[in-house]
């Protein structure tokens, strides 16, 4: 893989003062980029070799960036010590929406040596290494949806996120004229993502009012996930410049939620596709086992694809979000949709929402597939028609249920190890406790006067 910006190019641009800042950032548990902005000369002269110090709680904080209990690697008990952010120069790129700025994604490493096992990039790398033992590489694309609002983030916050005006007042699925109003913003996002080293394919309106999806060409799994988090961060920053706001939350209201469908295929060491075969379905035995693994592991690994309380509100019948664990050929009512023929044959896992951490989701898809391959699981028949009406096993309906399945899962323990399983189970349990203690608008509307 060639970096969008080479180190020599960075040196040249720093020398001419075209770039004066380098952002060194890692993905946290929520898939957000966190780190520091460095003077570009300091980055070149010092940080490349020595890394950047940061508090280890970057990998334990909740979504509000608050310290919570129960983690083994950082907390009040150990004095909130540091780890290092080690720049991965393969990810170096310009940030076109941020003048004079480049970005490099970093890996979390312990001072004195060793990567942090609980960090999202390392979790994904572990599954890629398992694939490599079979002689395979994963090609992945993530389809990320968002809602666009006419208010800025500051205005949305001031309104307590109530009464916001979506950018269109009706569904815009595949609409051209209805999405023209947003085209200045969308065009800037497309062009600047391209200039940041991503291969943009297309943007389209989606089912919900004001909902859009920007698609990028598939790449190796790690590059796709890195691009995903850069795109998500960049799109929000570009929205700020336009005095509007976007949300990737899985379920904003009672309408269709924001999805993040994960497309995945495998190639061997010679670059040949692994999934096609000569059988009646056109599937190889490997693909049948890999797909069967998705079905077998879906409930136990749901925490990795639906990490928040809100994630489970997206799983509603008839909303294009899956509720039953089934597979089908080009069937959008199934959790697993199979698409393409020959080299283009791939699976689409439709369970992740827009709030997903892509590294964890892709790692879970690979782990599930390998569970099927290594245990030679048999693929059940495809679902036909409306899978919502089938009697197939259903996805978990709450984060509480998902966390219990995850921490008791032999599949998760084998794939990720006890440290990772405990870490993310604790994050889920802490989120459930916070939610259980919160008094909501729903509580007040039902109980203020009538109880």
């Amino acid at each position: 893989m060639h970096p969008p910006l080479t180190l020599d190019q960075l040196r040249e641009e720093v020398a001419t003062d075209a770039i004066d800042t380098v952002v060194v950032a890692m993905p946290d548990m929520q898939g957000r980029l966190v780190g520091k902005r460095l003077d570009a000369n300091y980055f070149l002269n010092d940080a490349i070799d020595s890394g950047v110090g940061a508090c280890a709680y970057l990998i334990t904080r909740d979504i509000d960036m608050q310290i919570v209990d129960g983690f083994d690697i950082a907390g009040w008990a150990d004095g909130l010590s540091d780890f290092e952010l080690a720049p991965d120069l393969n990810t170096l790129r310009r940030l076109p929406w941020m003048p004079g700025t480049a970005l490099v994604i970093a890996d979390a490493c312990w001072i004195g040596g060793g990567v942090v096992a609980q960090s999202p990039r390392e979790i994904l790398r572990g599954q890629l290494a398992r694939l490599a033992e079979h002689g395979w590489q994963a090609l992945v694309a993530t389809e990320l949806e968002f809602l666009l609002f006419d208010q800025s983030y500051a205005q949305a916050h001031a309104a307590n996120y109530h009464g916001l005006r979506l950018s269109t007042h009706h569904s815009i699925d595949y609409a051209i004229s209805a999405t023209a109003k947003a085209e200045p913003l969308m065009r800037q996002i497309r062009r600047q993502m391209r200039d940041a080293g991503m291969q943009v394919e297309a943007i389209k309106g989606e089912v919900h009012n004001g909902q859009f999806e920007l698609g990028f060409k598939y790449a190796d799994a790690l590059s796709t996930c890195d691009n995903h988090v850069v795109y998500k961060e960049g799109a929000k920053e570009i929205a700020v410049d336009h005095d509007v706001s976007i949300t990737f939350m899985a379920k904003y209201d009672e309408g269709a939620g924001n999805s993040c469908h994960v497309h995945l295929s495998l190639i061997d060491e010679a670059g040949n596709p692994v999934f096609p075969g000569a059988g009646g379905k056109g599937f190889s035995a490997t693909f049948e086992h890999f797909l069967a693994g998705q079905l077998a592991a879906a409930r136990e690994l749901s925490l990795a694809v639906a990490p928040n309380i809100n994630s489970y509100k997206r799983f509603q019948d008839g909303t294009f979000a899956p509720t039953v664990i089934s597979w089908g050929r080009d069937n959008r009512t199934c959790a697993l949709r199979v698409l393409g023929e020959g080299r283009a044959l791939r699976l689409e896992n439709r369970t992740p929402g827009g709030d997903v951490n892509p590294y964890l989701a892709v790692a879970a898809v690979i782990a599930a597939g390998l569970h099927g391959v290594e245990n030679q699981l048999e693929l059940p028949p495809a679902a036909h028609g409306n899978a919502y009406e089938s009697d197939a096993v259903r996805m978990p309906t709450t984060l509480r249920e998902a966390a219990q399945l995850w921490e008791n899962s032999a599949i998760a323990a084998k794939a990720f190890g006890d440290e990772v399983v405990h870490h993310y189970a604790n994050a889920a349990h802490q989120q459930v406790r916070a939610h259980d203690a919160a008094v909501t608008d729903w509580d007040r509307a039902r109980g203020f006067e009538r109880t």
Side-chain angles (χ1 to χ4, degrees), residues 319-386:
T319 64
F320 291 96
T323 56
V324 296
I325 302 170
S326 59
W327 79 274
R329 269 281 196 178
D330 197 11
N331 188 335
R332 287 182 169 88
T333 67
C334 297
L336 283 305
R337 178 180 175 224
V338 175
L339 296 166
E341 305 283 347
R343 292 191 67 88
L345 182 65
R346 64 196 184 276
L347 69 85
E348 177 191 59
N349 190 313
R350 297 176 62 82
T351 54
D355 59 340
V356 76
N357 183 324
Y359 303 93
L360 303 184
V362 173
V365 172
I366 294 171
L370 289 175
H371 171 70
V373 170
E374 292 169 357
N375 292 280
Q376 301 286 283
L377 298 186
E378 183 176 348
L379 181 65
H384 298 282
N386 187 356

Side-chain angles (χ1 to χ4, degrees), residues 324 387-394:
V324 296
Y388 290 122
E389 297 177 349
S390 79
D391 58 0
V393 176
R394 302 182 75 85

Side-chain angles (χ1 to χ4, degrees), residues 109-359:
C109 299
W110 296 116
I111 295 173
V115 294
V116 178
Q118 296 86 345
S119 63
R121 290 186 99 225
E122 185 61 19
I123 291 170
L124 176 55
R125 280 202 183 99
Q127 301 314 299
L128 298 180
R130 292 180 66 202
L131 278 180
E133 292 174 0
H134 292 269
W136 300 332
Q137 178 185 4
L139 301 178
V140 174
T142 57
E143 297 178 334
L144 190 55
E145 295 174 350
F146 62 86
L147 297 178
L148 171 64
F149 296 89
D150 288 339
Q151 289 83 7
S152 68
Y153 286 109
Q155 290 169 330
H157 175 74
N160 202 26
Y161 307 100
H162 288 173
L164 304 182
R165 186 173 59 254
L166 285 156
S167 61
T168 70
H169 56 273
H170 56 77
S171 175
I172 57 173
D173 196 18
Y174 287 94
I176 297 299
S177 62
T179 57
K181 170 189 170 185
E183 179 56 12
L185 168 67
M186 300 306 170
R187 181 171 181 265
Q188 183 179 348
I189 291 175
R190 291 196 306 272
R191 288 174 62 89
Q192 295 194 326
M193 295 304 148
R194 178 199 66 189
D195 294 343
M198 303 178 206
Q199 295 189 53
V200 176
E201 289 190 344
I203 194 165
K204 65 178 287 289
E206 280 289 344
V207 172
H208 197 295
N209 297 4
Q211 189 177 49
F212 294 83
E213 176 189 280
L214 179 57
F216 298 89
K217 187 176 176 63
Y218 67 84
D220 69 274
L222 186 60
S223 294
T224 287
C225 293
D226 288 340
N227 287 340
H228 177 119
V229 296
V230 173
Y231 157 59
K232 198 171 182 180
E233 177 69 26
K236 291 179 180 180
E237 293 179 5
I238 294 168
V240 170
D241 290 339
H242 287 255
D243 291 323
V244 296
S245 56
I246 61 180
T247 184
F248 293 94
M249 67 184 297
K251 191 75 168 176
Y252 170 73
D253 57 17
E254 289 72 24
N258 288 320
S259 70
C260 177
H261 302 150
V262 173
H263 291 248
L264 184 143
S265 64
L266 300 179
I267 57 174
D268 63 20
E269 292 171 332
N272 299 313
V274 173
F275 285 170
K281 294 188 288 290
F283 298 175
S284 67
T286 295
F287 187 34
E288 294 204 8
H289 297 321
F290 198 93
L291 194 55
Q294 304 300 313
L295 302 174
R299 282 177 55 82
E300 294 180 34
L301 302 187
S302 61
L303 181 63
V305 299
N308 296 306
I309 294 281
N310 181 258
S311 307
Y312 294 84
K313 297 183 178 182
R314 176 175 156 266
F315 296 143
Q316 301 292 328
D317 289 350
T319 64
F320 291 96
T323 56
V324 296
I325 302 170
S326 59
W327 79 274
R329 269 281 196 178
D330 197 11
N331 188 335
R332 287 182 169 88
T333 67
C334 297
L336 283 305
R337 178 180 175 224
V338 175
L339 296 166
E341 305 283 347
R343 292 191 67 88
L345 182 65
R346 64 196 184 276
L347 69 85
E348 177 191 59
N349 190 313
R350 297 176 62 82
T351 54
D355 59 340
V356 76
N357 183 324
Y359 303 93

Side-chain angles (χ1 to χ4, degrees), residues 60 69-75 78 110 118 418-419 422-423 426:
T60 65
D69 295 327
F71 292 106
D72 295 331
I73 65 173
D78 69 357
W110 296 116
Q118 296 86 345
D418 292 340
E419 288 181 325
H422 169 73
H423 190 88
N426 182 63

